[in-house]
Amino acid sequence: GEDVEQSLFLSVREGDSSVINCTYTDSSSTYLYWYKQEPGAGLQLLTYIFSNMDMKQDQRLTVLLNKKDKHLSLRIADTQTGDSAIYFCAESGGGSYIPTFGRGTSLIVHP
Amino acid sequence: SAVISQKPSRDICQRGTSLTIQCQVDSQVTMMFWYRQQPGQSLTLIATANQGSEATYESGFVIDKFPISRPNLTFSTLTVSNMSPEDSSIYLCSVQGANTEAFFGQGTRLTVV
């Protein structure tokens, strides 16, 4: 079945850029998503990218997609303490409309 | 996007009891989804709830343990029955957007003691 992998932790200094990486196995993925989960909250959709795109930028967020390598990344510029959260990568497609989620990357931003 | 209200937001329950979680959406949707999120784990889909029909359960989840109601196009409930400490988890209600993206409620954090 489909699989989505992420590293579990990332620690960055405030003001630096954060890059969270994700790999997936389903070559027929149509959409790829990034979600943010703050403590005690549900998942908030941050951004998504179609599989025929290489890059999508939205303010401080940049999503890069390497479809050949099935690699997705989320770059957060000028990382702030409020960006501390768990970030989930997800993909859907290939006949399934239900997203498959990774285990989440816990981003810790320290002064 | 959809606004999803889920309640309770958290609860501590005795083992052997049941808890019903409610999910209200601000628009009519065909399908509603229930997920479980265990600590440090990915989201696991429990079932898909369509209005007017029985819910479709994923492998490892059964109706007797997780009965679901879907009385109309904006509301659903998930019951966690005969709870044990292993059921301690976050339970999330979700609906789908136009690009198959998932929108979530704030979740119900359940602790079974």
Side-chain angles (χ1 to χ4, degrees):
Chain A
E2 301 88 357
D3 197 17
V4 177
E5 297 286 341
Q6 303 176 239
S7 55
L8 294 183
F9 298 99
L10 176 65
S11 178
V12 300
R13 190 182 300 275
E14 188 175 15
D16 288 349
S17 293
S18 308
V19 179
I20 303 171
N21 294 300
C22 170
T23 58
Y24 59 98
T25 58
D26 188 357
S27 59
S28 59
S29 294
T30 305
Y31 298 97
L32 297 115
Y33 314 92
W34 284 104
Y35 288 85
K36 177 183 181 182
Q37 185 179 36
E38 298 184 59
L43 276 71
Q44 171 197 356
L45 178 65
L46 281 178
T47 186
Y48 63 90
I49 189 169
F50 297 106
S51 60
N52 61 357
M53 298 169 64
D54 298 324
M55 185 181 85
K56 182 179 181 181
Q57 186 154 4
D58 183 3
Q59 300 182 332
R60 291 192 297 123
L61 305 179
T62 302
V63 178
L64 294 177
L65 174 61
N66 182 327
K67 194 173 180 182
K68 172 178 172 289
D69 294 339
K70 301 190 191 68
H71 182 268
L72 183 74
S73 68
L74 173 69
R75 178 178 181 269
I76 305 173
D78 187 26
T79 311
Q80 302 298 308
T81 55
D83 295 322
S84 295
I86 302 176
Y87 291 81
F88 289 88
C89 171
E91 64 86 23
S92 70
S96 173
Y97 49 79
I98 298 173
T100 300
F101 290 85
R103 291 174 62 184
T105 299
S106 181
L107 174 64
I108 301 164
V109 182
H110 55 91
Chain B
S1 66
V3 177
I4 303 168
S5 300
Q6 195 174 329
K7 59 182 182 181
S9 58
R10 60 177 61 236
D11 207 342
I12 301 173
C13 300
Q14 297 289 324
R15 68 176 67 200
T17 63
S18 298
L19 175 72
T20 295
I21 302 166
Q22 298 180 8
C23 180
Q24 179 76 50
V25 189
D26 68 342
S27 57
Q28 294 184 337
V29 293
T30 304
M31 290 183 290
M32 296 177 74
F33 305 88
W34 288 99
Y35 287 84
R36 182 174 70 184
Q37 182 185 13
Q38 294 178 304
Q41 300 296 316
S42 176
L43 277 72
T44 303
L45 182 65
I46 298 171
T48 303
N50 292 324
Q51 193 266 336
S53 63
E54 277 198 9
T56 303
Y57 289 84
E58 297 297 307
S59 175
F61 298 96
V62 295
I63 187 171
D64 290 346
K65 176 67 176 177
F66 297 101
I68 287 171
S69 78
R70 183 79 203 275
N72 57 53
L73 291 173
T74 62
F75 187 79
S76 178
T77 67
L78 170 76
T79 298
V80 186
S81 302
N82 188 26
M83 289 183 284
S84 67
E86 292 71 34
D87 295 319
S88 297
S89 189
I90 299 173
Y91 292 86
L92 294 156
C93 171
S94 172
V95 302
Q96 199 167 54
N99 296 310
T100 73
E101 71 272 38
F103 296 104
F104 290 89
Q106 74 271 33
T108 297
R109 185 177 298 271
L110 171 63
T111 303
V112 184
V113 297

